[in-house]
Amino acid sequence: LHAIRETWAPKCDGFFVASNLTDASLDAVDIPHEGIESYRNMWQKVRSLLSYAYANYYNEFDWFHIGGDDLWVIVDNLREYLHSDEIRIAANGGIEFGSHSAFLDNETQVPLLLGCHFAQGGKLSQLYVTGGPGYTLNKAALKLLVTEGMDYFQHKITS
């Protein structure tokens, strides 16, 4: 985590580390989750992390990027992509507002979950994003997941 704090994290508009202990020097926050501390319990960790981000940072940021401690992010490239017309139009449900589309307000914005999608067992009905390269959610996606999606697979242990 020290390498992240010294390289790409300072370029972010905000940054915190979800952890099982709080360490201000790393911006690490103890975020309790259901179940044991194990990779197989990743869904419970993610549920808690998303809920924490929603409760504490929803009004401060438009985008949330989630990834592991072995992740490298080129923040300037990610920021430029998130401000591209392609993403703005997608977040606006395909509606373009001039040459540099503005985002719709948070209540009408289309939820976007950007990342590497996999089909579990090859089933397109069971898509998920992999945590390895990380994934990015807009405010609408974060709100939808936390307010409506957290009850699904509530006690699920991932494989």
Side-chain angles (χ1 to χ4, degrees), residues 71-84:
L71 175 69
W72 179 267
V73 176
I74 302 173
V75 176
D76 294 334
N77 289 2
L78 178 59
R79 184 177 285 116
E80 185 173 333
Y81 179 62
L82 296 175
H83 287 96
S84 70

Side-chain angles (χ1 to χ4, degrees), residues 46 86 93 131-132:
V46 170
E86 174 187 4

Side-chain angles (χ1 to χ4, degrees), residues 55-66:
N56 293 279
Y57 298 106
Y58 178 79
N59 291 320
E60 291 185 46
F61 303 107
D62 295 322
W63 295 95
F64 301 86
H65 188 79
I66 299 165

Side-chain angles (χ1 to χ4, degrees), residues 102-114:
F103 285 117
L104 292 173
D105 63 65
N106 296 326
E107 299 305 316
T108 54
Q109 191 180 69
V110 173
L112 294 180
L113 174 60
L114 309 172

Side-chain angles (χ1 to χ4, degrees), residues 11-149:
K11 296 178 182 180
C12 297
D13 294 332
F15 178 84
F16 75 91
V17 174
S19 180
N20 57 353
L21 59 98
T22 297
D23 182 341
S25 70
L26 296 173
D27 292 320
V29 180
D30 178 13
I31 302 177
H33 57 80
E34 180 180 322
I36 62 171
E37 184 65 31
S38 162
Y39 182 79
R40 291 196 65 228
N41 199 29
M42 190 61 67
W43 170 238
Q44 297 305 326
K45 292 179 180 185
V46 170
R47 285 180 70 224
S48 294
L49 179 145
L50 292 173
S51 295
Y52 180 87
Y54 181 73
N56 293 279
Y57 298 106
Y58 178 79
N59 291 320
E60 291 185 46
F61 303 107
D62 295 322
W63 295 95
F64 301 86
H65 188 79
I66 299 165
D69 60 359
D70 59 349
L71 175 69
W72 179 267
V73 176
I74 302 173
V75 176
D76 294 334
N77 289 2
L78 178 59
R79 184 177 285 116
E80 185 173 333
Y81 179 62
L82 296 175
H83 287 96
S84 70
D85 284 342
E86 174 187 4
I87 296 301
R88 289 175 185 269
I89 292 168
N92 292 339
I95 301 168
E96 185 172 358
F97 297 106
S99 61
H100 293 287
S101 302
F103 285 117
L104 292 173
D105 63 65
N106 296 326
E107 299 305 316
T108 54
Q109 191 180 69
V110 173
L112 294 180
L113 174 60
L114 309 172
C116 185
H117 294 79
F118 284 101
Q120 185 172 352
K123 298 176 186 173
L124 293 178
S125 62
Q126 296 181 359
L127 288 176
Y128 67 96
V129 290
T130 180
Y135 45 94
T136 304
L137 303 89
N138 67 355
K139 289 179 91 157
L142 180 65
K143 182 177 182 177
L144 180 66
L145 280 169
V146 172
T147 62
E148 297 182 31

